[in-house]
């Protein structure tokens, strides 16, 4: 399946911004299950200086410096992506028991294991909390296949937590989400990752998009009109496996991967520093994902 994606971000400032430096992670990754055919990031006012690089996690980063005074900043990212379904992800006959996966992460020194180990550690938005281990344990009986255990955890989060876009912000602590049992896709991904790390597993945060048009007869998925988030867990035999707790499903050909990291901090679509602008600003984001025949 091919998708055309247009992601528009606008910042409105009450006072003039004289200079700003921005990092954008808005170019989709190319992976084993998707190919970024083309991608571009532009801004108004135009950038006086720009560069492209890969960050520590392999995400594509656009650096934009704007020197023209402005009260409105508009950043437009456009891309064309081919996505293939993740065939056989939940074939439990090939699955590693979760406790064996944990033990292998402890002892094996292969390149894949060493690359996965940092995703077992706490990160800026996902602290080590005993309550996370308490919540996770019912899903992780001894010898239970990893995908089966993670699927159960995902279903429990989907059932126990309310999707409430007005309750949290990007800075809401995970403890608040746990206490009130509500949040959005970002919160549910952080929660699942924290639970998996509490069980000694490697898990990472994935940002991306969902196709905006549901198939005939199906309801529209939550998060389809904005950036979406889910998580991946590391299986020593099959690599990274994706799960979407917001919609209680395994990402297939309707999920488009943008970036991944330890948590949202590593993959924020747009961040930066500025001079001026006043004490507050307005922010609007519009995302359009269109499937091509």
């Amino acid at each position: 399946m091919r998708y055309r994606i247009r992601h528009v971000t606008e910042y409105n400032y009450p006072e003039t911004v004289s200079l700003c430096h921005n990092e954008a992670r808005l170019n989709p990754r190319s992976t084993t299950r998707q190919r970024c055919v083309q991608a571009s990031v532009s801004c108004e006012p135009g950038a006086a200086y720009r560069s492209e690089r890969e960050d520590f996690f392999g995400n594509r980063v656009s650096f934009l410096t704007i020197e023209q005074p402005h009260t409105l900043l508009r950043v437009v990212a456009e891309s064309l992506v081919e996505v293939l379904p993740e065939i056989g992800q939940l074939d439990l006959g090939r699955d590693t028991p979760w406790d064996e996966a944990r033990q292998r992460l402890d002892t094996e020194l292969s390149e894949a294991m060493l690359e996965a180990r940092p995703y077992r550690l706490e990160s800026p938005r996902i602290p080590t909390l005993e309550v996370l281990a308490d919540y996770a344990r019912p899903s992780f009986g001894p010898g239970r296949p990893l995908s089966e255990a993670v699927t159960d955890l995902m279903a429990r989060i989907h059932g126990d937590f309310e999707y409430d876009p007005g309750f949290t912000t990007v800075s809401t602590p995970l403890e608040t989400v746990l206490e009130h049992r509500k949040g959005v896709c970002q919160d549910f991904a952080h929660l699942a990752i924290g639970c998996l790390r509490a069980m000694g597993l490697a898990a990472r945060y994935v940002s991306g998009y969902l196709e905006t048009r549901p198939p005939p007869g199906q309801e529209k998925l939550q998060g389809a009109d904005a950036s979406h988030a889910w998580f991946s867990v590391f299986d020593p035999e099959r690599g990274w496996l994706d799960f979407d707790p917001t919609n209680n499903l395994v990402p297939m050909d309707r999920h488009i991967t943008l970036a991944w990291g330890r948590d949202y901090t590593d993959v924020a679509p747009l961040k930066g520093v500025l001079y001026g602008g006043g004490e507050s600003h307005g922010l609007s984001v519009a995302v359009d994902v269109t499937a091509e025949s």
Side-chain angles (χ1 to χ4, degrees):
M1 181 68 71
R2 275 194 170 203
Y3 295 102
R4 287 201 176 271
I5 305 161
R6 181 177 171 85
H7 184 144
V8 180
T9 307
E10 291 188 350
Y11 288 95
N12 286 276
Y13 302 100
E15 299 178 12
T16 300
V17 175
S18 59
L19 172 69
C20 65
H21 303 287
N22 308 277
E23 279 192 351
R25 287 168 174 80
L26 290 167
N27 289 327
R29 296 185 68 122
S30 288
T31 70
T32 56
R33 59 175 296 269
Q34 78 174 33
R35 183 171 72 95
C36 183
V37 179
Q38 61 188 49
S40 66
V41 177
S42 60
C43 60
E44 299 175 12
Y49 171 81
R50 65 178 300 149
S51 63
E52 306 287 331
R53 67 178 179 89
E54 283 193 1
D55 66 14
F56 176 83
F57 305 100
N59 304 310
R60 299 169 64 187
V61 184
S62 301
F63 180 79
L64 308 167
T65 293
I66 299 168
E67 298 178 347
Q68 180 178 336
H70 59 277
T71 56
L72 171 67
L73 172 62
R74 189 170 191 260
V75 179
V76 180
E78 296 179 294
S79 56
L80 176 63
V81 181
E82 291 182 345
V83 181
L84 297 173
E86 191 70 63
I87 302 298
Q89 171 165 313
L90 294 185
D91 179 1
L92 302 186
R94 301 173 53 232
D95 208 359
T96 308
W98 78 268
D99 37 11
E100 178 185 324
R102 178 180 63 183
Q103 187 272 330
R104 291 177 65 179
L105 281 164
D106 286 337
T107 59
E108 292 188 15
L109 299 177
S110 67
E111 181 178 351
M113 295 295 180
L114 294 176
E115 289 180 353
R117 281 183 183 175
Y119 294 100
R120 304 173 81 189
L121 306 175
E122 70 175 7
S123 54
R125 296 184 184 274
I126 308 177
T128 300
L129 302 171
E130 184 58 33
V131 67
L132 293 173
D134 293 340
Y135 185 84
R137 284 192 188 99
S139 297
F140 290 86
R144 192 174 192 183
L146 177 62
S147 288
E148 182 181 304
V150 178
T151 299
D152 184 73
L153 175 66
M154 174 177 68
R156 289 173 52 220
I157 291 173
H158 181 76
D160 293 344
F161 288 76
E162 176 188 352
Y163 184 87
D164 185 348
F167 181 71
T168 59
T169 68
V170 294
S171 60
T172 300
L174 190 52
E175 295 93 326
T176 302
V177 176
L178 280 162
E179 178 183 357
H180 294 276
R181 299 290 177 108
K182 59 177 65 176
V184 293
C185 56
Q186 171 188 298
D187 304 305
F188 303 151
H190 283 160
L191 172 61
I193 292 166
C195 288
L196 293 166
R197 291 176 183 169
M199 301 306 295
L201 298 167
R204 68 190 183 192
Y205 183 99
V206 185
S207 70
Y209 307 106
L210 279 173
E211 180 188 6
T212 55
R213 295 180 301 164
Q218 293 188 21
E219 293 184 0
K220 185 176 183 179
L221 295 177
Q222 293 171 328
D225 289 324
S227 297
H228 193 44
W230 57 96
F231 71 91
S232 299
V233 63
F234 182 73
D235 182 328
E237 292 299 324
R238 289 181 287 156
W240 292 95
L241 307 177
D242 287 355
F243 297 85
D244 179 354
T246 304
N247 296 295
N248 192 28
L249 54 78
V250 172
M252 291 291 187
D253 60 346
R254 297 178 65 196
H255 286 67
I256 302 135
T257 299
L258 189 60
W260 61 59
R262 298 166 301 166
D263 59 33
Y264 176 82
T265 305
D266 294 327
V267 302
L270 189 63
K271 62 183 179 181
V273 295
L274 56 85
Y275 295 90
E279 297 183 357
S280 63
H281 64 268
L283 170 64
S284 64
V285 180
V287 175
D288 184 27
V289 180
T290 306
E292 290 194 338
S293 58

